[in-house]
Amino acid sequence: MIRFDQVSKSYGRNRQVIDDLTLAIAEGEICMLVGPSGCGKTTSMKMINRLVEPDSGTVLVDGRPVNSVDPIKLRLNIGYVIQEIGLFPHMSVADNIATVPVELGWPKPRVRARVDDLLALVDLEPGLYRTKRPRELSGGQRQRVGIARALAGDPRIMLMDEPFGALDPLTRAKMQDEFLAIQEKIRKTIVFVTHDTDEALKMGDHIAVMRAGRLLQYGTPTEILRHPADTFVADLIGSRKGLKLLRLLDCGSLMRQGAAAADLPVLPARATAEQALSEMLRCGCRSVAVADASGVTLGRLDLDDLIDRVARDD
Amino acid sequence: MDFISFLVAYWPTLIQLTAEHLGIIVVAMALSLALGLVVGIAISFSPRAAAIVLGINGLLMTFPSLALFSLLVPVLGIGSAPAIAGLVVYTQLPLVRNVYTGLTGIDPALIEAAEGMGLTPLKILWKIKLPLAWPAILTGIRTATVMGIGIGAIAAYVGAGGLGVLIFQGISRNNDAMVIVGAILISAISILTDRLLARIGDRDRS
């Protein structure tokens, strides 16, 4: 879907910001670009919608080099969210969201319907929020509108530059969960820049770890946790790798199917292994029951299985 | 001649002179605003050009207005033309400076978001930058207009008419009432215009 082919970029003579970057991002995935500030992650992302042009190498979208596409046309078909959100303060929420559809020349009724659908998608009551100004919204609400605005033209690709960076930890975790739930429905190809490794591990289908313009490692969260390419990546992930792995596994995939004792604590199949372990520690039991959304027992997860699966390399 | 009998005797002339004065100001401000917008927008894309243009404008403003009006007469003749040209020159600085600071004071994140979403530079200017710069531009229009109404009195000196006529004739005829009436009318127009423009600004904000 998106490919970087030996891309390099420097500002001036000595400041190499991107050094021979080659990277392929698959359709429908969230690719997290992670690394310390100045590592080139934002610059790389901006090459996809041509806000930055590479000195050498090619960026391809759908097999087409982006520099062969008119930048305005390219950008209208790529959603864009930045940390500061950049909602236009003189426009209503609806007009903000309608920006790209209006540019694309959609008829008015279709734009209106799209705005309401998107407000509902990001969990803002259309009747209540359509006419509000950005300054009347909380930080989290603004970010929801920012995401709705980026989705408005129904782009296949979304670029997100630290979208939750300015939110407090609680709102941030909530927005991450909600965004993952939205992505379940919309299945966009998402390039997501962050400097927060935990956010990368939580959100990413794949993670690209960058440092000083170079790609150090590209892999799934589990791969990166289990086999960090070098000490820099290992340090970036930080300590407690085992506990972080727990968050990547869900009860549904770890459990043994069948009946479970009635007195065990019950967790939904979507719950993480971390939640299961926490529940075991809380109740002093060595097993939890796993149930589906309607509460029907699916199986049982034992502590030994949990330890085996986290430790096992697969 | 005392104050009241002056007003009674001269009121048709006063109305005519006020109309002349306003006419000159309206034309001069329309031209000045058009020029100021073009120049202000143009220099907002280049900090270097901005420094030069704002510097020249500042310099022009320090030039004595009586001298400037007189120097324009050989070029533009006598009448409203040199008056209007002079007023345009004097009102450029507040206009250009406010258009410029209004446009360049916008949060860069907004411009980046607009650019990243695929708005053309012209669309960004029209839909984002100018509406956001509008309060600053309106302040510039207010300052420039009030200034122009005052300086407009000197237009009488180059034969453009207006309320300045009362002041100049009052001085040469030693008629204090005439000078005072001219001055008061000019002040009154300034204050009214200022209030009116301020109200437009308040209305836009809400």
Side-chain angles (χ1 to χ4, degrees), chain A residues 46 49 72 75-76 80 82 84 86-91 99-100 102-103 149, chain B residues 109-110 112-121 123 127-128 131-132 205:
Chain A
K46 286 182 175 174
N49 66 353
I72 298 299
R75 289 172 198 161
L76 285 173
Y80 191 57
I82 55 178
E84 301 86 352
L87 293 185
F88 306 132
H90 59 298
M91 295 184 190
T99 307
V100 168
V102 166
E103 290 303 308
R149 185 173 71 172
Chain B
L110 293 180
E112 204 211 308
E115 220 178 328
M117 287 164 71
L119 297 189
T120 61
K123 287 261 173 64
K127 288 187 156 179
I128 314 294
L132 289 174
R205 240 187 302 282

PDB file of all heavy atoms in Angstrom, chain A residues 46 49 72 75-76 80 82 84 86-91 99-100 102-103 149, chain B residues 109-110 112-121 123 127-128 131-132 205:
ATOM      1  N   LYS A  46       5.494  12.821   6.590  1.00  0.00           N
ATOM      2  CA  LYS A  46       5.097  13.938   5.729  1.00  0.00           C
ATOM      3  C   LYS A  46       5.514  13.737   4.273  1.00  0.00           C
ATOM      4  O   LYS A  46       5.063  14.483   3.397  1.00  0.00           O
ATOM      5  CB  LYS A  46       5.698  15.248   6.263  1.00  0.00           C
ATOM      6  CG  LYS A  46       4.992  15.752   7.502  1.00  0.00           C
ATOM      7  CD  LYS A  46       5.597  17.060   7.963  1.00  0.00           C
ATOM      8  CE  LYS A  46       4.815  17.625   9.136  1.00  0.00           C
ATOM      9  NZ  LYS A  46       5.488  18.824   9.685  1.00  0.00           N
ATOM     10  N   ASN A  49       2.377  12.427   2.087  1.00  0.00           N
ATOM     11  CA  ASN A  49       1.453  13.382   1.451  1.00  0.00           C
ATOM     12  C   ASN A  49       2.193  14.588   0.873  1.00  0.00           C
ATOM     13  O   ASN A  49       1.599  15.638   0.639  1.00  0.00           O
ATOM     14  CB  ASN A  49       0.330  13.800   2.403  1.00  0.00           C
ATOM     15  CG  ASN A  49       0.805  14.599   3.593  1.00  0.00           C
ATOM     16  OD1 ASN A  49       2.006  14.754   3.798  1.00  0.00           O
ATOM     17  ND2 ASN A  49      -0.128  15.112   4.364  1.00  0.00           N
ATOM     18  N   ILE A  72      -2.127  18.393  -4.207  1.00  0.00           N
ATOM     19  CA  ILE A  72      -3.452  18.728  -3.673  1.00  0.00           C
ATOM     20  C   ILE A  72      -4.385  17.521  -3.777  1.00  0.00           C
ATOM     21  O   ILE A  72      -5.074  17.150  -2.824  1.00  0.00           O
ATOM     22  CB  ILE A  72      -4.042  19.946  -4.422  1.00  0.00           C
ATOM     23  CG1 ILE A  72      -3.163  21.189  -4.235  1.00  0.00           C
ATOM     24  CG2 ILE A  72      -5.472  20.227  -3.975  1.00  0.00           C
ATOM     25  CD1 ILE A  72      -3.001  21.660  -2.812  1.00  0.00           C
ATOM     26  N   ARG A  75      -3.319  14.855  -1.266  1.00  0.00           N
ATOM     27  CA  ARG A  75      -3.657  15.161   0.134  1.00  0.00           C
ATOM     28  C   ARG A  75      -5.146  15.061   0.399  1.00  0.00           C
ATOM     29  O   ARG A  75      -5.565  14.689   1.498  1.00  0.00           O
ATOM     30  CB  ARG A  75      -3.165  16.570   0.486  1.00  0.00           C
ATOM     31  CG  ARG A  75      -1.660  16.635   0.573  1.00  0.00           C
ATOM     32  CD  ARG A  75      -1.189  18.059   0.729  1.00  0.00           C
ATOM     33  NE  ARG A  75       0.234  18.146   0.391  1.00  0.00           N
ATOM     34  CZ  ARG A  75       0.839  19.278   0.087  1.00  0.00           C
ATOM     35  NH1 ARG A  75       0.162  20.402   0.065  1.00  0.00           N
ATOM     36  NH2 ARG A  75       2.121  19.273  -0.196  1.00  0.00           N
ATOM     37  N   LEU A  76      -5.969  15.412  -0.595  1.00  0.00           N
ATOM     38  CA  LEU A  76      -7.415  15.304  -0.395  1.00  0.00           C
ATOM     39  C   LEU A  76      -7.819  13.849  -0.184  1.00  0.00           C
ATOM     40  O   LEU A  76      -8.876  13.566   0.369  1.00  0.00           O
ATOM     41  CB  LEU A  76      -8.167  15.890  -1.599  1.00  0.00           C
ATOM     42  CG  LEU A  76      -8.192  17.419  -1.682  1.00  0.00           C
ATOM     43  CD1 LEU A  76      -8.806  17.877  -2.998  1.00  0.00           C
ATOM     44  CD2 LEU A  76      -8.962  18.028  -0.522  1.00  0.00           C
ATOM     45  N   TYR A  80      -5.404  13.426   7.581  1.00  0.00           N
ATOM     46  CA  TYR A  80      -4.243  14.007   8.248  1.00  0.00           C
ATOM     47  C   TYR A  80      -4.646  14.544   9.622  1.00  0.00           C
ATOM     48  O   TYR A  80      -5.543  15.382   9.725  1.00  0.00           O
ATOM     49  CB  TYR A  80      -3.689  15.133   7.374  1.00  0.00           C
ATOM     50  CG  TYR A  80      -2.346  15.666   7.795  1.00  0.00           C
ATOM     51  CD1 TYR A  80      -1.246  14.829   7.909  1.00  0.00           C
ATOM     52  CD2 TYR A  80      -2.162  17.020   8.044  1.00  0.00           C
ATOM     53  CE1 TYR A  80      -0.005  15.323   8.273  1.00  0.00           C
ATOM     54  CE2 TYR A  80      -0.915  17.529   8.398  1.00  0.00           C
ATOM     55  CZ  TYR A  80       0.150  16.671   8.510  1.00  0.00           C
ATOM     56  OH  TYR A  80       1.377  17.170   8.867  1.00  0.00           O
ATOM     57  N   ILE A  82      -2.931  16.050  13.301  1.00  0.00           N
ATOM     58  CA  ILE A  82      -1.708  16.441  13.997  1.00  0.00           C
ATOM     59  C   ILE A  82      -1.989  16.631  15.480  1.00  0.00           C
ATOM     60  O   ILE A  82      -3.144  16.723  15.894  1.00  0.00           O
ATOM     61  CB  ILE A  82      -1.094  17.740  13.403  1.00  0.00           C
ATOM     62  CG1 ILE A  82      -2.122  18.874  13.401  1.00  0.00           C
ATOM     63  CG2 ILE A  82      -0.580  17.477  12.005  1.00  0.00           C
ATOM     64  CD1 ILE A  82      -1.548  20.177  12.873  1.00  0.00           C
ATOM     65  N   GLU A  84      -1.566  19.123  17.496  1.00  0.00           N
ATOM     66  CA  GLU A  84      -2.271  20.359  17.861  1.00  0.00           C
ATOM     67  C   GLU A  84      -3.694  20.351  17.302  1.00  0.00           C
ATOM     68  O   GLU A  84      -4.442  21.300  17.502  1.00  0.00           O
ATOM     69  CB  GLU A  84      -1.510  21.577  17.333  1.00  0.00           C
ATOM     70  CG  GLU A  84      -0.088  21.698  17.852  1.00  0.00           C
ATOM     71  CD  GLU A  84       0.905  20.896  17.023  1.00  0.00           C
ATOM     72  OE1 GLU A  84       0.462  20.119  16.140  1.00  0.00           O
ATOM     73  OE2 GLU A  84       2.111  21.018  17.258  1.00  0.00           O
ATOM     74  N   GLY A  86      -5.398  21.372  15.130  1.00  0.00           N
ATOM     75  CA  GLY A  86      -5.571  22.357  14.062  1.00  0.00           C
ATOM     76  C   GLY A  86      -7.004  22.496  13.585  1.00  0.00           C
ATOM     77  O   GLY A  86      -7.235  22.713  12.404  1.00  0.00           O
ATOM     78  N   LEU A  87      -7.968  22.394  14.502  1.00  0.00           N
ATOM     79  CA  LEU A  87      -9.350  22.704  14.115  1.00  0.00           C
ATOM     80  C   LEU A  87      -9.429  24.194  13.825  1.00  0.00           C
ATOM     81  O   LEU A  87      -8.830  24.999  14.535  1.00  0.00           O
ATOM     82  CB  LEU A  87     -10.327  22.340  15.240  1.00  0.00           C
ATOM     83  CG  LEU A  87     -10.484  20.863  15.565  1.00  0.00           C
ATOM     84  CD1 LEU A  87     -11.569  20.683  16.618  1.00  0.00           C
ATOM     85  CD2 LEU A  87     -10.813  20.047  14.327  1.00  0.00           C
ATOM     86  N   PHE A  88     -10.182  24.570  12.790  1.00  0.00           N
ATOM     87  CA  PHE A  88     -10.281  25.976  12.421  1.00  0.00           C
ATOM     88  C   PHE A  88     -11.241  26.670  13.385  1.00  0.00           C
ATOM     89  O   PHE A  88     -12.427  26.350  13.415  1.00  0.00           O
ATOM     90  CB  PHE A  88     -10.741  26.102  10.972  1.00  0.00           C
ATOM     91  CG  PHE A  88      -9.865  25.323  10.020  1.00  0.00           C
ATOM     92  CD1 PHE A  88     -10.406  24.485   9.068  1.00  0.00           C
ATOM     93  CD2 PHE A  88      -8.476  25.410  10.105  1.00  0.00           C
ATOM     94  CE1 PHE A  88      -9.591  23.751   8.204  1.00  0.00           C
ATOM     95  CE2 PHE A  88      -7.661  24.684   9.261  1.00  0.00           C
ATOM     96  CZ  PHE A  88      -8.217  23.846   8.304  1.00  0.00           C
ATOM     97  N   PRO A  89     -10.734  27.625  14.201  1.00  0.00           N
ATOM     98  CA  PRO A  89     -11.536  28.168  15.296  1.00  0.00           C
ATOM     99  C   PRO A  89     -12.736  28.984  14.822  1.00  0.00           C
ATOM    100  O   PRO A  89     -13.700  29.149  15.563  1.00  0.00           O
ATOM    101  CB  PRO A  89     -10.546  29.048  16.063  1.00  0.00           C
ATOM    102  CG  PRO A  89      -9.446  29.350  15.112  1.00  0.00           C
ATOM    103  CD  PRO A  89      -9.370  28.197  14.172  1.00  0.00           C
ATOM    104  N   HIS A  90     -12.688  29.494  13.582  1.00  0.00           N
ATOM    105  CA  HIS A  90     -13.785  30.349  13.119  1.00  0.00           C
ATOM    106  C   HIS A  90     -14.887  29.546  12.436  1.00  0.00           C
ATOM    107  O   HIS A  90     -15.839  30.119  11.931  1.00  0.00           O
ATOM    108  CB  HIS A  90     -13.231  31.407  12.158  1.00  0.00           C
ATOM    109  CG  HIS A  90     -12.555  30.836  10.945  1.00  0.00           C
ATOM    110  ND1 HIS A  90     -11.436  30.042  11.037  1.00  0.00           N
ATOM    111  CD2 HIS A  90     -12.845  30.914   9.630  1.00  0.00           C
ATOM    112  CE1 HIS A  90     -11.063  29.687   9.821  1.00  0.00           C
ATOM    113  NE2 HIS A  90     -11.901  30.195   8.950  1.00  0.00           N
ATOM    114  N   MET A  91     -14.726  28.210  12.413  1.00  0.00           N
ATOM    115  CA  MET A  91     -15.748  27.385  11.762  1.00  0.00           C
ATOM    116  C   MET A  91     -16.405  26.479  12.801  1.00  0.00           C
ATOM    117  O   MET A  91     -15.792  26.103  13.782  1.00  0.00           O
ATOM    118  CB  MET A  91     -15.102  26.490  10.713  1.00  0.00           C
ATOM    119  CG  MET A  91     -14.487  27.208   9.542  1.00  0.00           C
ATOM    120  SD  MET A  91     -13.891  25.945   8.395  1.00  0.00           S
ATOM    121  CE  MET A  91     -12.968  26.972   7.268  1.00  0.00           C
ATOM    122  N   THR A  99     -14.662  20.108   5.537  1.00  0.00           N
ATOM    123  CA  THR A  99     -13.655  20.775   4.706  1.00  0.00           C
ATOM    124  C   THR A  99     -13.282  19.971   3.456  1.00  0.00           C
ATOM    125  O   THR A  99     -13.380  20.469   2.336  1.00  0.00           O
ATOM    126  CB  THR A  99     -12.376  21.068   5.535  1.00  0.00           C
ATOM    127  OG1 THR A  99     -12.748  21.769   6.703  1.00  0.00           O
ATOM    128  CG2 THR A  99     -11.399  21.907   4.737  1.00  0.00           C
ATOM    129  N   VAL A 100     -12.844  18.729   3.652  1.00  0.00           N
ATOM    130  CA  VAL A 100     -12.382  17.949   2.505  1.00  0.00           C
ATOM    131  C   VAL A 100     -13.536  17.552   1.570  1.00  0.00           C
ATOM    132  O   VAL A 100     -13.421  17.735   0.354  1.00  0.00           O
ATOM    133  CB  VAL A 100     -11.538  16.738   2.957  1.00  0.00           C
ATOM    134  CG1 VAL A 100     -11.296  15.771   1.804  1.00  0.00           C
ATOM    135  CG2 VAL A 100     -10.207  17.211   3.536  1.00  0.00           C
ATOM    136  N   VAL A 102     -16.182  19.170   0.914  1.00  0.00           N
ATOM    137  CA  VAL A 102     -16.523  20.360   0.142  1.00  0.00           C
ATOM    138  C   VAL A 102     -15.493  20.570  -0.967  1.00  0.00           C
ATOM    139  O   VAL A 102     -15.838  20.843  -2.119  1.00  0.00           O
ATOM    140  CB  VAL A 102     -16.614  21.607   1.058  1.00  0.00           C
ATOM    141  CG1 VAL A 102     -16.635  22.890   0.242  1.00  0.00           C
ATOM    142  CG2 VAL A 102     -17.851  21.530   1.950  1.00  0.00           C
ATOM    143  N   GLU A 103     -14.208  20.400  -0.626  1.00  0.00           N
ATOM    144  CA  GLU A 103     -13.160  20.541  -1.634  1.00  0.00           C
ATOM    145  C   GLU A 103     -13.306  19.491  -2.733  1.00  0.00           C
ATOM    146  O   GLU A 103     -12.961  19.719  -3.885  1.00  0.00           O
ATOM    147  CB  GLU A 103     -11.769  20.414  -1.005  1.00  0.00           C
ATOM    148  CG  GLU A 103     -11.366  21.575  -0.123  1.00  0.00           C
ATOM    149  CD  GLU A 103     -11.414  22.895  -0.862  1.00  0.00           C
ATOM    150  OE1 GLU A 103     -10.823  23.002  -1.949  1.00  0.00           O
ATOM    151  OE2 GLU A 103     -12.074  23.821  -0.351  1.00  0.00           O
ATOM    152  N   ARG A 149     -12.692  14.710  11.048  1.00  0.00           N
ATOM    153  CA  ARG A 149     -12.354  15.561   9.919  1.00  0.00           C
ATOM    154  C   ARG A 149     -11.400  14.847   8.966  1.00  0.00           C
ATOM    155  O   ARG A 149     -11.523  14.942   7.747  1.00  0.00           O
ATOM    156  CB  ARG A 149     -11.724  16.867  10.419  1.00  0.00           C
ATOM    157  CG  ARG A 149     -11.443  17.859   9.315  1.00  0.00           C
ATOM    158  CD  ARG A 149     -10.986  19.191   9.841  1.00  0.00           C
ATOM    159  NE  ARG A 149      -9.644  19.130  10.400  1.00  0.00           N
ATOM    160  CZ  ARG A 149      -8.954  20.203  10.784  1.00  0.00           C
ATOM    161  NH1 ARG A 149      -9.496  21.399  10.689  1.00  0.00           N
ATOM    162  NH2 ARG A 149      -7.757  20.081  11.286  1.00  0.00           N
TER     163      ARG A 149
ATOM    164  N   ALA B 109       0.004  25.686  13.339  1.00  0.00           N
ATOM    165  CA  ALA B 109      -0.624  24.359  13.288  1.00  0.00           C
ATOM    166  C   ALA B 109      -1.865  24.374  12.395  1.00  0.00           C
ATOM    167  O   ALA B 109      -2.156  23.399  11.702  1.00  0.00           O
ATOM    168  CB  ALA B 109      -0.994  23.898  14.696  1.00  0.00           C
ATOM    169  N   LEU B 110      -2.592  25.510  12.395  1.00  0.00           N
ATOM    170  CA  LEU B 110      -3.793  25.606  11.562  1.00  0.00           C
ATOM    171  C   LEU B 110      -3.423  25.561  10.086  1.00  0.00           C
ATOM    172  O   LEU B 110      -4.073  24.902   9.284  1.00  0.00           O
ATOM    173  CB  LEU B 110      -4.527  26.920  11.850  1.00  0.00           C
ATOM    174  CG  LEU B 110      -5.135  27.059  13.227  1.00  0.00           C
ATOM    175  CD1 LEU B 110      -5.815  28.413  13.363  1.00  0.00           C
ATOM    176  CD2 LEU B 110      -6.128  25.946  13.464  1.00  0.00           C
ATOM    177  N   GLU B 112      -0.683  24.274   8.853  1.00  0.00           N
ATOM    178  CA  GLU B 112      -0.180  22.943   8.539  1.00  0.00           C
ATOM    179  C   GLU B 112      -1.332  21.963   8.332  1.00  0.00           C
ATOM    180  O   GLU B 112      -1.320  21.163   7.391  1.00  0.00           O
ATOM    181  CB  GLU B 112       0.735  22.446   9.661  1.00  0.00           C
ATOM    182  CG  GLU B 112       1.710  21.389   9.178  1.00  0.00           C
ATOM    183  CD  GLU B 112       2.069  20.383  10.247  1.00  0.00           C
ATOM    184  OE1 GLU B 112       2.472  20.800  11.334  1.00  0.00           O
ATOM    185  OE2 GLU B 112       1.923  19.186   9.972  1.00  0.00           O
ATOM    186  N   ALA B 113      -2.331  22.052   9.208  1.00  0.00           N
ATOM    187  CA  ALA B 113      -3.484  21.161   9.069  1.00  0.00           C
ATOM    188  C   ALA B 113      -4.173  21.404   7.731  1.00  0.00           C
ATOM    189  O   ALA B 113      -4.488  20.460   7.001  1.00  0.00           O
ATOM    190  CB  ALA B 113      -4.468  21.383  10.217  1.00  0.00           C
ATOM    191  N   ALA B 114      -4.366  22.682   7.387  1.00  0.00           N
ATOM    192  CA  ALA B 114      -5.058  23.013   6.138  1.00  0.00           C
ATOM    193  C   ALA B 114      -4.268  22.507   4.934  1.00  0.00           C
ATOM    194  O   ALA B 114      -4.819  21.932   3.994  1.00  0.00           O
ATOM    195  CB  ALA B 114      -5.257  24.524   6.046  1.00  0.00           C
ATOM    196  N   GLU B 115      -2.947  22.702   4.994  1.00  0.00           N
ATOM    197  CA  GLU B 115      -2.084  22.265   3.905  1.00  0.00           C
ATOM    198  C   GLU B 115      -2.135  20.737   3.765  1.00  0.00           C
ATOM    199  O   GLU B 115      -2.290  20.204   2.669  1.00  0.00           O
ATOM    200  CB  GLU B 115      -0.656  22.699   4.226  1.00  0.00           C
ATOM    201  CG  GLU B 115       0.137  23.207   3.081  1.00  0.00           C
ATOM    202  CD  GLU B 115       1.522  23.653   3.543  1.00  0.00           C
ATOM    203  OE1 GLU B 115       1.654  24.135   4.696  1.00  0.00           O
ATOM    204  OE2 GLU B 115       2.456  23.493   2.776  1.00  0.00           O
ATOM    205  N   GLY B 116      -2.010  20.065   4.922  1.00  0.00           N
ATOM    206  CA  GLY B 116      -2.007  18.607   4.918  1.00  0.00           C
ATOM    207  C   GLY B 116      -3.317  18.011   4.442  1.00  0.00           C
ATOM    208  O   GLY B 116      -3.354  16.906   3.914  1.00  0.00           O
ATOM    209  N   MET B 117      -4.414  18.765   4.635  1.00  0.00           N
ATOM    210  CA  MET B 117      -5.714  18.255   4.194  1.00  0.00           C
ATOM    211  C   MET B 117      -5.919  18.443   2.703  1.00  0.00           C
ATOM    212  O   MET B 117      -6.880  17.918   2.144  1.00  0.00           O
ATOM    213  CB  MET B 117      -6.832  18.979   4.947  1.00  0.00           C
ATOM    214  CG  MET B 117      -6.939  18.554   6.403  1.00  0.00           C
ATOM    215  SD  MET B 117      -7.927  19.719   7.340  1.00  0.00           S
ATOM    216  CE  MET B 117      -9.536  19.375   6.675  1.00  0.00           C
ATOM    217  N   GLY B 118      -5.084  19.252   2.083  1.00  0.00           N
ATOM    218  CA  GLY B 118      -5.182  19.397   0.632  1.00  0.00           C
ATOM    219  C   GLY B 118      -5.832  20.692   0.167  1.00  0.00           C
ATOM    220  O   GLY B 118      -6.352  20.767  -0.933  1.00  0.00           O
ATOM    221  N   LEU B 119      -5.789  21.751   1.011  1.00  0.00           N
ATOM    222  CA  LEU B 119      -6.273  23.050   0.548  1.00  0.00           C
ATOM    223  C   LEU B 119      -5.148  23.729  -0.234  1.00  0.00           C
ATOM    224  O   LEU B 119      -3.992  23.663   0.153  1.00  0.00           O
ATOM    225  CB  LEU B 119      -6.698  23.937   1.730  1.00  0.00           C
ATOM    226  CG  LEU B 119      -7.865  23.445   2.589  1.00  0.00           C
ATOM    227  CD1 LEU B 119      -8.295  24.534   3.556  1.00  0.00           C
ATOM    228  CD2 LEU B 119      -9.046  23.035   1.732  1.00  0.00           C
ATOM    229  N   THR B 120      -5.499  24.398  -1.325  1.00  0.00           N
ATOM    230  CA  THR B 120      -4.497  25.128  -2.101  1.00  0.00           C
ATOM    231  C   THR B 120      -4.119  26.399  -1.333  1.00  0.00           C
ATOM    232  O   THR B 120      -4.898  26.862  -0.493  1.00  0.00           O
ATOM    233  CB  THR B 120      -5.056  25.536  -3.475  1.00  0.00           C
ATOM    234  OG1 THR B 120      -6.183  26.392  -3.247  1.00  0.00           O
ATOM    235  CG2 THR B 120      -5.520  24.335  -4.276  1.00  0.00           C
ATOM    236  N   PRO B 121      -2.935  26.973  -1.629  1.00  0.00           N
ATOM    237  CA  PRO B 121      -2.538  28.212  -0.929  1.00  0.00           C
ATOM    238  C   PRO B 121      -3.607  29.300  -1.016  1.00  0.00           C
ATOM    239  O   PRO B 121      -3.849  30.020  -0.049  1.00  0.00           O
ATOM    240  CB  PRO B 121      -1.260  28.632  -1.652  1.00  0.00           C
ATOM    241  CG  PRO B 121      -0.683  27.364  -2.182  1.00  0.00           C
ATOM    242  CD  PRO B 121      -1.861  26.483  -2.521  1.00  0.00           C
ATOM    243  N   LYS B 123      -6.911  28.876  -1.354  1.00  0.00           N
ATOM    244  CA  LYS B 123      -8.024  28.473  -0.485  1.00  0.00           C
ATOM    245  C   LYS B 123      -7.666  28.720   0.983  1.00  0.00           C
ATOM    246  O   LYS B 123      -8.507  29.142   1.766  1.00  0.00           O
ATOM    247  CB  LYS B 123      -8.351  26.994  -0.681  1.00  0.00           C
ATOM    248  CG  LYS B 123      -9.044  26.686  -1.999  1.00  0.00           C
ATOM    249  CD  LYS B 123     -10.547  26.569  -1.796  1.00  0.00           C
ATOM    250  CE  LYS B 123     -11.303  26.442  -3.105  1.00  0.00           C
ATOM    251  NZ  LYS B 123     -10.985  25.235  -3.856  1.00  0.00           N
ATOM    252  N   LYS B 127     -10.113  30.953   2.975  1.00  0.00           N
ATOM    253  CA  LYS B 127     -10.991  30.287   3.935  1.00  0.00           C
ATOM    254  C   LYS B 127     -10.447  30.313   5.361  1.00  0.00           C
ATOM    255  O   LYS B 127     -11.210  30.212   6.309  1.00  0.00           O
ATOM    256  CB  LYS B 127     -11.190  28.813   3.537  1.00  0.00           C
ATOM    257  CG  LYS B 127     -12.060  28.616   2.336  1.00  0.00           C
ATOM    258  CD  LYS B 127     -12.313  27.131   2.161  1.00  0.00           C
ATOM    259  CE  LYS B 127     -13.585  26.887   1.384  1.00  0.00           C
ATOM    260  NZ  LYS B 127     -13.828  25.458   1.179  1.00  0.00           N
ATOM    261  N   ILE B 128      -9.135  30.375   5.505  1.00  0.00           N
ATOM    262  CA  ILE B 128      -8.544  30.273   6.842  1.00  0.00           C
ATOM    263  C   ILE B 128      -7.888  31.589   7.257  1.00  0.00           C
ATOM    264  O   ILE B 128      -8.249  32.180   8.271  1.00  0.00           O
ATOM    265  CB  ILE B 128      -7.486  29.143   6.895  1.00  0.00           C
ATOM    266  CG1 ILE B 128      -7.991  27.864   6.225  1.00  0.00           C
ATOM    267  CG2 ILE B 128      -7.027  28.894   8.326  1.00  0.00           C
ATOM    268  CD1 ILE B 128      -9.142  27.185   6.904  1.00  0.00           C
ATOM    269  N   PRO B 131     -10.196  35.173   7.189  1.00  0.00           N
ATOM    270  CA  PRO B 131     -11.191  35.252   8.277  1.00  0.00           C
ATOM    271  C   PRO B 131     -10.547  35.364   9.657  1.00  0.00           C
ATOM    272  O   PRO B 131     -11.040  36.093  10.507  1.00  0.00           O
ATOM    273  CB  PRO B 131     -11.963  33.932   8.162  1.00  0.00           C
ATOM    274  CG  PRO B 131     -11.739  33.457   6.780  1.00  0.00           C
ATOM    275  CD  PRO B 131     -10.407  33.982   6.344  1.00  0.00           C
ATOM    276  N   LEU B 132      -9.424  34.651   9.853  1.00  0.00           N
ATOM    277  CA  LEU B 132      -8.779  34.706  11.168  1.00  0.00           C
ATOM    278  C   LEU B 132      -8.051  36.027  11.377  1.00  0.00           C
ATOM    279  O   LEU B 132      -7.895  36.484  12.506  1.00  0.00           O
ATOM    280  CB  LEU B 132      -7.814  33.530  11.331  1.00  0.00           C
ATOM    281  CG  LEU B 132      -8.491  32.169  11.501  1.00  0.00           C
ATOM    282  CD1 LEU B 132      -7.461  31.051  11.501  1.00  0.00           C
ATOM    283  CD2 LEU B 132      -9.296  32.123  12.793  1.00  0.00           C
ATOM    284  N   ARG B 205     -17.299  39.393  16.579  1.00  0.00           N
ATOM    285  CA  ARG B 205     -16.727  38.518  17.596  1.00  0.00           C
ATOM    286  C   ARG B 205     -17.776  37.592  18.197  1.00  0.00           C
ATOM    287  O   ARG B 205     -17.497  36.460  18.529  1.00  0.00           O
ATOM    288  CB  ARG B 205     -16.073  39.341  18.696  1.00  0.00           C
ATOM    289  CG  ARG B 205     -14.592  39.055  18.841  1.00  0.00           C
ATOM    290  CD  ARG B 205     -14.012  39.754  20.046  1.00  0.00           C
ATOM    291  NE  ARG B 205     -14.188  41.189  19.997  1.00  0.00           N
ATOM    292  CZ  ARG B 205     -13.442  42.010  19.265  1.00  0.00           C
ATOM    293  NH1 ARG B 205     -12.507  41.529  18.500  1.00  0.00           N
ATOM    294  NH2 ARG B 205     -13.630  43.301  19.284  1.00  0.00           N
TER     295      ARG B 205
END
